[in-house]
Amino acid sequence: MSGGRFEDDRLVTGAGRFVADLVPPDALHCAFVRSPMAAGELVGVDLTAARDAAGVAAVYDAADLGVPDVPATARWGADAPGRDRPVLARDRVRFTGEAVAVVVAATAVQAADAAGLAWVDIEPQPAVVSMWEAREEPSNVVFTDDFAAGPEPAGAGLVEVTVTVDHPRLAAAPIEPLAILAVPDGDGLRVWVGHQSPHRLRGELAILLGLDEQAMRVTVPDVGGSFGQKRFFPEYAVVAKAALLLQRPVAWVQTRRELFLAGTQGRGQHHEVTLSADA
């Protein structure tokens, strides 16, 4: 095979092994109850009908799980105070599709049907939907930085050219959406997940679950694309915690609708650039 590629034949002939291919027959399946609103006070969540639905093993909200918030840090610069994210919404919802509760059932269909029976009471609040609105609140500025390259041009006879460029937001759409399988292993946990940074995910999950990092093993099988999206998601911690509580294998395979609704998006940038140069 030319170019040193050895995986092509296996993948194009259907012999790949992705997370969904590894789910054992006795595994339980997750479906998330999600906010239909972009912003609002979470008045209450009635999960009674979901708990009574066929095939349901458990239904959890934030209080049931007791998982700490996901700490927010800026990739560059200082930490981002006040932006820690609950794995399941508690007092309010912050975006359309934010997970409020999770249903764990014998099949994925039963889990989805039961999740549809949950009643979420949200008092709507004004939503911020553009970067310009967000910038009006100083606490939304995570960090600032200065970039400079090249020598300063001489002050006389300069030509200045300014360009404004908007990059629209985009949704990553890998062939394989997010997927995770968590299996209790003694005092620890084994996780199979489509991911880009398995060692980092192991550390993040260990902290949130209160486990020794050495008690966790994260395996990445074949991955059906990523486009920068497959990093940490709160749903991973929820699935892993459910597996520990139930002492059963628990899986979640994201639907395409969920991917577009609640997956992280990219770009959404506005650039104003000025070039100063001599003749």
Side-chain angles (χ1 to χ4, degrees), residues 14 30 91 106 139 141 154 248 276:
C30 288
D91 304 320
S139 66
V141 179
R248 292 274 302 277
S276 295

Side-chain angles (χ1 to χ4, degrees), residues 8-10 37 40 43-44 54 80 87 109 113-114 169 226-227 250 265:
D8 295 2
D9 286 351
R10 181 173 58 84
M37 298 183 182
V43 179
V87 295
V109 171
D113 287 346
R169 292 178 66 179
S226 176
F227 306 104
V250 177
Q265 298 185 352

Side-chain angles (χ1 to χ4, degrees), residues 8-274:
D8 295 2
D9 286 351
R10 181 173 58 84
L11 293 176
V12 300
T13 57
R17 298 285 285 172
F18 301 87
V19 173
D21 298 314
L22 306 175
V23 178
D26 63 336
L28 299 170
H29 297 260
C30 288
F32 287 89
V33 179
R34 298 185 180 276
S35 168
M37 298 183 182
E41 178 187 355
L42 188 57
V43 179
V45 183
D46 187 351
L47 301 172
T48 304
R51 289 192 169 104
D52 293 338
V56 171
V59 180
Y60 301 116
D61 61 15
D64 296 322
L65 286 183
V67 176
D69 291 355
V70 181
T73 57
R75 186 173 180 184
W76 299 278
D79 288 352
R83 292 177 178 81
D84 292 356
R85 179 178 175 181
V87 295
L88 294 173
R90 283 194 308 270
D91 304 320
R92 64 188 182 101
V93 295
R94 296 167 177 82
F95 61 92
T96 304
E98 183 173 11
V100 175
V102 64
V103 176
V104 189
T107 70
V109 171
Q110 288 175 324
D113 287 346
L117 299 175
W119 178 258
V120 182
D121 187 3
I122 299 172
E123 183 65 34
Q125 295 176 342
V128 175
V129 296
S130 76
M131 71 178 76
W132 304 114
E133 292 176 282
R135 286 179 61 186
E136 294 175 4
E137 174 55 55
S139 66
N140 284 333
V141 179
V142 178
F143 73 97
T144 61
D145 205 349
D146 294 321
F147 297 90
E152 290 288 335
L158 292 182
V159 176
E160 283 201 347
V161 179
T162 299
V163 62
T164 299
V165 180
D166 284 295
H167 293 272
R169 292 178 66 179
L170 58 82
I175 294 174
E176 177 199 31
L178 303 180
I180 181 172
L181 167 66
V183 179
D185 183 18
D187 294 330
L189 195 68
R190 286 205 62 182
V191 171
W192 288 263
V193 60
H195 205 267
Q196 292 173 265
S197 307
H199 291 89
R200 187 166 76 180
L201 178 63
R202 181 180 69 166
E204 291 165 337
L205 285 176
I207 291 172
L208 293 175
L209 300 174
L211 295 177
D212 188 317
E213 191 170 322
Q214 300 304 315
M216 290 201 60
R217 183 177 177 186
V218 174
T219 301
V220 174
D222 290 325
V223 179
S226 176
F227 306 104
Q229 184 189 43
K230 292 181 179 175
R231 297 180 182 273
F232 183 86
F233 282 81
E235 287 91 340
Y236 294 158
V238 174
V239 173
K241 182 68 173 183
L244 292 174
L245 290 173
L246 297 169
Q247 285 297 295
R248 292 274 302 277
V250 177
W252 173 58
V253 179
Q254 185 186 51
T255 66
R256 186 66 56 182
R257 177 182 175 86
E258 282 183 300
L259 184 145
F260 287 128
L261 181 66
T264 53
Q265 298 185 352
R267 308 298 187 267
Q269 299 172 354
H270 176 83
H271 301 270
E272 296 176 2
V273 182
T274 298

